[in-house]
Amino acid sequence: MIRAKLLLSLGAAAVVLGGLTAYRWHNPCSTCPISMVIGALGGPSGCAPAPKAETLAANSTASPSQVIPTSHSTPDPMSTTPTPTTNSSPSASTDVKTETAMFGAGCFWGVEAIFHKIPGVIDAASGYSGGTVPNATYKQVCTDKTGHAEVVQIKFDPSKVSYQTLVEKFFKLHDPTQLDRQGPDYGSQYRSAIFFYSPEQQKTAEAVKARLNAGKYKGNIVTEISKAAEFYRAEEYHQRYLEKNGIDNCHIPQDD
């Protein structure tokens, strides 16, 4: 008799355990008898959907050391830039040595758009430079009291495009004989300026300016050539402004 009662108790326990297991892994249902009973006893009112077999298997073998975090770090825009390569050799170098140039030729929207199209230019960013106020903003620069010029800072691959080519393009895309203005824009922030990063760049800029001043223009070129000062990147809505707003040009011929 005792043995029979023991077996009956063990069987009841197995039924309850099986029911709880089924409750945990079956699909939710508001009329589920098991859910109603468990809910009445103060347990959770819903049922978790059964996990897929492969998920259970993976969870049973995974360990914390196997979790690989995802990196969201942003590379330094002024550092050496990796360039895609079709060479599958592991020993092949994918680093490109870049140089930086900076020009002011009036409103930076159109200037940036043009330089983005030149093969060999890796990046072009609108910003402010040549002034006295740290971390200048567009609102401050527009007062014409900070001394900044609207500029475009360019990162380029000198093996694909020379600095001289960029300087010559700079002179073509605006009128360098206009003082503190370009087209409809007035103010010293729209001045013609070349900010050089090395003695070699200075020499090239001055040579191109002298050659063009010798005969191409009726007036004298007033382009400022000076050592690069701190560059303050413009607010994000200024970056690729023409492209974002579907504008063809900014009083500058884009296909020149």
Side-chain angles (χ1 to χ4, degrees):
M1 177 65 73
I2 295 177
R3 182 177 180 183
K5 288 182 177 181
L6 180 59
L7 290 175
L8 182 60
S9 297
L10 292 175
V15 170
V16 172
L17 182 60
L20 290 176
T21 303
Y23 165 76
R24 172 168 175 74
W25 297 121
H26 80 295
N27 290 326
C29 175
S30 60
T31 60
C32 167
I34 300 176
S35 295
M36 294 172 67
V37 172
I38 298 299
L41 294 176
S45 58
C47 302
K52 294 181 179 180
E54 56 268 26
T55 302
L56 287 172
N59 289 339
S60 66
T61 58
S63 65
S65 62
Q66 293 174 311
V67 179
I68 301 176
T70 302
S71 173
H72 295 283
S73 59
T74 302
D76 181 354
M78 299 306 298
S79 63
T80 301
T81 304
T83 299
T85 177
T86 56
N87 192 331
S88 59
S89 173
S91 60
S93 174
T94 58
D95 290 342
V96 173
K97 299 300 181 182
T98 63
E99 291 185 19
T100 304
M102 187 157 63
F103 304 110
C107 175
F108 46 26
W109 296 338
V111 178
E112 179 200 307
I114 288 177
F115 279 109
H116 265 302
K117 296 178 181 179
I118 298 178
V121 169
I122 297 171
D123 189 29
S126 293
Y128 319 106
S129 192
T132 57
V133 177
N135 301 310
T137 65
Y138 185 65
K139 185 176 181 179
Q140 290 174 316
V141 172
C142 283
T143 65
D144 198 15
K145 295 179 180 179
T146 68
H148 291 87
E150 288 194 9
V151 298
V152 173
Q153 188 184 65
I154 301 160
K155 182 187 292 185
F156 65 100
D157 179 354
S159 69
K160 295 182 179 179
V161 60
S162 67
Y163 180 71
Q164 179 173 325
T165 297
L166 297 180
V167 172
E168 291 173 344
K169 187 66 175 181
F170 157 79
F171 278 111
K172 285 183 179 180
L173 60 84
H174 76 302
D175 183 354
T177 66
Q178 293 188 13
L179 181 64
D180 293 344
R181 64 163 292 181
Q182 280 302 311
D185 300 320
Y186 294 82
S188 63
Q189 69 267 36
Y190 300 113
R191 65 186 181 270
S192 175
I194 298 176
F195 296 97
F196 59 84
Y197 284 90
S198 68
E200 291 75 20
Q201 286 191 355
Q202 178 184 12
K203 183 178 179 180
T204 298
E206 290 176 345
V208 173
K209 177 181 176 179
R211 172 165 53 83
L212 295 176
N213 219 9
K216 180 174 181 178
Y217 298 98
K218 294 181 180 180
N220 289 326
I221 293 178
V222 296
T223 301
E224 164 193 342
I225 299 178
S226 57
K227 186 176 181 179
E230 190 74 23
F231 170 78
Y232 300 106
R233 183 182 174 90
E235 295 79 353
E236 194 57 35
Y237 73 89
H238 286 299
Q239 309 303 326
R240 293 182 177 268
Y241 184 89
L242 301 189
E243 180 181 328
K244 290 176 180 176
N245 292 276
I247 302 174
D248 291 334
N249 61 69
C250 182
H251 68 76
I252 294 177
Q254 297 294 296
D255 295 324
D256 181 15

